[in-house]
Amino acid sequence: MSDVRLPEDPLWPRAASWLGLPDVGSAHAGEPRSSVDFGLIGIPAHATSITPTSAHTTPAAVRAALLRYSTYSASHDVDVAALSARDFGDVAEPDGVEGETRVIARVSQAAAMCELVIAVGGDNSITYSAMHGVFSATGIGGSGDDAGGLAAAGLVTVDAHHDLRDGISNGSPVRRLIADGLDGHRVAQVGIADFSNSPEYARRARDLGITVITRASLRHAPLAEILARALEVASPDGRPIYVDLDVDVCDRSVVPGCPAAAPGGISADELREIAFLCACDPRVKAIDITEIDAAIDTPDRRTVRLAALLVLEAAAGLCARLGR
């Protein structure tokens, strides 16, 4: 799909204008730490992906897709422009040990300033460093200490895969977080797909105390009930939650830009509802959007456009949370 000139209408403000231009640079030392409601940060990780990917191209593509949408949700009768917002830009070279250190620092800064942070990947490896960053932020997770904050946190993944592999890759963030102190009994995985995992990793999930809600389970109960259960598993005591939205949980027909998506996944509309419902919950401090390779998306950019809508659904959910 070639770029076209979009019409200008002062009565139809674009979502990209609400977010403003992304910050440039990797540090903001000395900058006043003014708080905002909603923060966006790009984490273009891709180097450790199990399969080759150009997921590093996705944050920029999502920002471009936000030009296609307004700030008004008719379903919920909220205008996300009522939220103060900041685009923290992209973390430079987020892969590897040094890259993860940069991610932790930048996400920590954003989390300390925002009611809700949305991290746009990049592959699913970002869940590890971004969650560390959120719970190293002062005042989040009950302490300013990274390990202490992570130990007090909960995690909900909406994903076809367990992400419990050995090593360091986009298939290992959940295992790595648990190894660093996250309680497996406070992890809920929604949308785990058939023929996308192994018996060994399923056994590992059980042994770690993870609550697994399969794709098949979503056919037999209302989505809101299932998500409420997952959030309660992650935080039965009101402590903060991180949410990972791996877009390959969707049916491959709606997310051709997700290399690991399979036929039979959830719908785009279901994932949008999940983003909204998670952001409504005051326990949720951050949401990531991962595993989209913008370079292989279809000409109509349907996968990237879905990611942009997930950003906006999360903003609408925050409006509902804050009564805006």
Side-chain angles (χ1 to χ4, degrees), residues 15-285:
S17 299
W18 159 64
L19 274 172
L21 294 173
D23 292 344
V24 177
S26 61
H28 301 275
E31 181 180 281
R33 297 173 68 85
S34 56
S35 62
V36 294
D37 300 315
F38 186 87
L40 181 76
I41 187 165
I43 309 178
H46 70 108
T48 63
S49 182
I50 293 169
T51 55
T53 180
S54 297
H56 60 291
T57 63
T58 301
V62 172
R63 290 187 180 95
L66 285 166
L67 286 166
R68 300 274 176 180
Y69 298 107
S70 78
T71 59
Y72 178 64
S73 169
S75 298
H76 305 291
D77 193 24
V78 297
D79 186 347
V80 303
L83 300 172
S84 57
R86 176 171 171 178
D87 186 339
F88 289 84
D90 288 354
V91 180
E93 299 181 11
D95 292 293
V97 174
E98 292 182 359
E100 289 183 341
T101 300
R102 284 190 288 273
V103 173
I104 290 168
R106 290 287 300 283
V107 173
S108 178
Q109 176 202 34
M113 297 172 64
C114 302
E115 182 72 19
L116 180 68
V117 175
I118 305 299
V120 178
D123 66 30
N124 214 157
S125 67
I126 75 164
T127 300
Y128 174 78
S129 51
M131 187 171 180
H132 263 293
V134 170
F135 294 105
S136 68
T138 301
I140 296 178
S143 80
D145 175 73
D146 188 28
L150 191 64
L155 172 65
V156 173
T157 72
V158 183
D159 193 343
H161 308 95
H162 289 298
D163 290 342
L164 293 171
R165 290 175 183 260
D166 294 329
I168 297 175
S169 71
N170 60 333
S172 68
V174 177
R175 180 197 57 76
R176 295 179 69 201
L177 286 163
I178 291 173
D180 285 359
L182 176 65
D183 184 352
H185 294 90
R186 298 176 70 107
V187 177
Q189 299 195 307
V190 179
I192 295 298
D194 293 335
F195 311 113
S196 295
N197 298 278
S198 71
E200 179 55 40
Y201 291 126
R203 187 177 305 112
R204 185 173 288 186
R206 289 193 295 271
D207 291 345
L208 290 169
I210 294 171
T211 296
V212 174
I213 302 170
T214 65
R215 167 68 184 101
S217 299
L218 300 180
R219 303 186 188 111
H220 306 299
L223 186 57
E225 289 184 10
I226 287 177
L227 192 61
R229 175 189 167 203
L231 292 167
E232 190 63 18
V233 166
S235 177
D237 50 9
R239 293 188 181 187
I241 299 171
Y242 185 99
V243 176
D244 163 37
L245 301 181
D246 182 331
V247 182
D248 71 24
V249 74
C250 288
D251 187 272
R252 189 170 182 83
S253 65
V254 298
V255 289
C258 293
I266 71 173
S267 71
D269 187 62
E270 286 172 313
L271 190 58
R272 288 177 59 179
E273 182 181 359
I274 288 170
F276 174 82
L277 291 171
C278 286
C280 284
D281 194 304
R283 295 170 293 183
V284 173
K285 301 304 178 186

